[in-house]
Amino acid sequence: MSEVLQEKIAQLIERVADKASDSKGGITRLLYSKEWLDTQMELKKIMEEEGLITYFDEVGNLYGRIQGNKNPEETIMTGSHVDTVINGGKYDGMYGIIAGIVALSQLKDKYGQACRNIEVVSFAEEEGSRFPTVFWGSKNFLGCGDKEEVEHIQDGDGIAFTDAMHKAGFEFRNSSRDKRSDVKAFLEAHIEQGNILEMERKEIGIVDSIAGQRRYKVEVTGTANHAGTTPMEYRRDAFYATSKMISNILDKARAYGSPLVATAGFIEIKPNVGNVVPGKAEFSLDIRHTDEEFLKKYTDEIVLFMNETAKECNVEVDIHMWMDESPVQMDKEIVACIEKVCVDRKVNYRVMNSGAGHDSQLIAKQIPTAMIFVPSRGGISHNPKEYTAPQYLEKGVEVLVDSIYQLAYK
């Protein structure tokens, strides 16, 4: 049975991957693209083959449903997002959808009709890879998708969001319709996208919190000048000041240790010429922690340091925080439910936080939510080399099945 289930999961992942394979050997499935629509329609077909009732909502979220009997006004939901980054992998997002479909099929075959409805969802978008918006699928599911946020935006090719949506056959959510109140729990299965489980040789991760994020755009302005004739003490070197800022910020993060992470992933120097003192530098900061007070404390510290460094180096600095997402705690009862399933199954697991963002971080603010992680080989994600071994894919489905059983059948 184990090999049969592993093969089924792997085959379904390959089946949908074929709908969006790109020329660079990866998967590119951007919101409302042909590849996106082909994949959603293929998932709809798979859901129906497994005996699920299927439907789309207005914006393109796809649902597969098993109707409950005793409490048909209540729903237990699982799933994840269908979209990818450009040249991404086969598992990010998609594993949670396939795991949900397989889990519902197994529950139906083994236990029959549940007390509550069970649904798997393929959220339309989470990544922000095509348009400058994120979580479009789960935002609309929660009733907070903002039409004004997207109706005037375009992708990199100048295609308007609304035109792409209409071409794919979808529309804005009807704002007069009440948001769903029937969903009593949400479970998201996902690849870890890190290497903690692999390094610690764990089969399953149970996520009890998702890290908050603060992201910054920092501009440092000095004076571009001749590299040979400008004495060191008279320079207004934007790159020198920037290097001191970044080095201190990362050193401080290392000293504090996990779960704090700080990343300066982008930097641009102008004029970027070998014999000219840099007059301008721009860099990014991505700061994450699971404790909101600590996140604020650390970011206040580094903002103060950047201002002090700018003064010391006789340059100007403009610090713009463009993202401020609070940490989100998962539901303690659902986490305990998954943990009991792992103990009963003798699964080698650990409770952990997620440093990456997920649909669950939005959903958890309105609906009791938890996540199940499976190991990622090498911690690689958002990359064609993304891979999770079949035995871990299977283990995630088994834990998901038993967890949904506890929530939907009892």
Side-chain angles (χ1 to χ4, degrees):
M1 180 61 184
S2 176
E3 290 182 3
V4 172
L5 181 57
Q6 288 181 22
E7 185 176 352
K8 179 177 183 177
I9 298 166
Q11 286 180 347
L12 289 176
I13 288 174
E14 290 297 328
R15 177 173 165 181
V16 291
D18 286 344
K19 298 295 179 181
S21 57
D22 60 33
S23 60
K24 296 181 180 179
I27 307 297
T28 300
R29 190 163 48 236
L30 307 183
L31 177 62
Y32 298 139
S33 65
K34 179 183 183 301
E35 294 79 11
W36 175 93
L37 184 58
D38 287 348
T39 302
Q40 284 289 63
M41 296 309 294
E42 190 68 18
L43 286 167
K44 183 176 185 292
K45 185 177 179 181
I46 292 169
M47 290 178 184
E48 290 170 351
E49 290 171 358
E50 298 296 335
L52 308 184
I53 301 165
T54 62
Y55 66 98
F56 284 99
D57 64 17
E58 296 102 319
V59 303
N61 293 322
L62 169 66
Y63 303 84
R65 182 180 180 92
I66 297 175
Q67 189 71 30
N69 50 22
K70 293 183 181 179
N71 305 102
E73 74 286 354
E74 298 182 355
T75 301
I76 306 301
M77 183 174 283
T78 187
S80 194
H81 61 97
V82 69
D83 68 314
T84 69
V85 298
I86 295 172
N87 193 225
K90 300 175 184 177
Y91 301 88
D92 178 21
M94 185 53 67
Y95 171 64
I97 300 168
I98 295 300
I101 295 171
V102 174
L104 265 64
S105 177
Q106 291 218 325
L107 286 162
K108 178 173 59 68
D109 292 346
K110 188 173 182 179
Y111 301 110
Q113 194 172 23
C115 298
R116 299 170 181 83
N117 311 316
I118 316 173
E119 284 190 4
V120 56
V121 58
S122 174
F123 285 124
E125 190 274 340
E126 183 247 31
E127 297 284 6
S129 298
R130 181 177 184 185
F131 299 99
T133 187
V134 293
F135 300 118
W136 180 244
S138 51
K139 281 179 179 176
N140 280 276
F141 162 69
L142 295 169
C144 56
D146 186 357
K147 178 180 178 180
E148 293 181 357
E149 178 187 328
V150 299
E151 61 183 346
H152 299 300
I153 63 175
Q154 300 177 339
D155 67 10
D157 295 322
I159 299 172
F161 184 98
T162 50
D163 290 343
M165 179 175 64
H166 292 151
K167 184 177 180 181
F170 297 101
E171 186 53 84
F172 288 115
R173 180 180 59 87
N174 183 353
S175 58
S176 65
R177 179 174 53 81
D178 291 339
K179 67 180 181 181
R180 290 183 62 169
S181 60
D182 61 305
V183 182
K184 303 304 178 185
F186 181 79
L187 288 82
E188 183 173 9
H190 208 282
I191 61 170
E192 183 194 352
Q193 300 179 281
N195 64 351
I196 294 173
L197 295 178
E198 181 182 57
M199 295 298 290
E200 297 186 4
R201 299 185 179 182
K202 303 292 186 183
E203 298 172 294
I204 291 290
I206 305 172
V207 177
D208 64 352
S209 63
I210 298 178
Q213 300 182 42
R214 285 189 164 189
R215 297 190 189 183
Y216 296 84
K217 175 184 176 182
V218 184
E219 292 183 350
V220 181
T221 304
T223 302
N225 218 328
H226 196 291
T229 62
T230 311
M232 299 300 289
E233 63 269 26
Y234 298 138
R235 295 185 178 198
R236 300 181 67 237
D237 188 333
F239 185 43
Y240 173 62
T242 295
S243 65
K244 291 189 70 172
M245 292 175 190
I246 292 174
S247 178
N248 177 272
I249 289 165
L250 300 187
D251 284 346
K252 189 180 291 289
R254 284 177 175 269
Y256 276 125
S258 295
L260 174 66
V261 289
T263 304
F266 165 85
I267 187 167
E268 185 175 68
I269 307 300
K270 294 181 180 179
N272 201 24
V273 176
N275 60 350
V276 178
V277 176
K280 190 164 186 176
E282 181 181 316
F283 66 98
S284 67
L285 288 173
D286 181 322
I287 316 296
R288 308 189 190 201
H289 199 281
T290 55
D291 182 273
E292 186 165 17
E293 287 188 11
F294 187 93
L295 182 63
K296 289 180 178 179
K297 173 181 177 290
Y298 175 77
T299 52
D300 285 348
E301 286 178 3
I302 65 173
V303 167
L304 177 62
F305 175 79
M306 285 189 284
N307 281 306
E308 290 175 344
T309 302
K311 186 176 180 180
E312 175 190 325
C313 296
N314 194 25
V315 297
E316 285 80 46
V317 63
D318 179 54
I319 304 166
H320 172 58
M321 181 170 65
W322 62 271
M323 176 187 282
D324 186 9
E325 289 286 342
S326 298
V328 177
Q329 302 301 311
M330 300 290 99
D331 184 81
K332 292 181 180 179
E333 292 185 7
I334 301 180
V335 168
C337 173
I338 300 170
E339 193 165 5
K340 185 177 185 305
V341 166
C342 288
V343 170
D344 291 345
R345 277 191 165 271
K346 295 181 172 56
V347 172
N348 189 6
Y349 75 96
R350 66 161 285 171
V351 178
M352 62 190 298
N353 70 76
S354 172
H358 300 281
D359 288 303
S360 285
Q361 74 187 70
L362 266 69
I363 296 169
K365 296 175 182 179
Q366 296 189 27
I367 297 167
T369 298
M371 295 189 71
I372 298 167
F373 275 175
V374 294
S376 297
R377 186 173 68 184
I380 295 172
S381 184
H382 286 184
N383 185 306
K385 294 181 180 179
E386 188 177 86
Y387 179 76
T388 294
Q391 67 267 27
Y392 297 131
L393 300 177
E394 176 197 27
K395 192 65 67 177
V397 169
E398 290 175 346
V399 172
L400 183 63
V401 166
D402 287 1
S403 300
I404 294 175
Y405 176 78
Q406 295 298 322
L407 296 168
Y409 283 80
K410 293 189 175 182

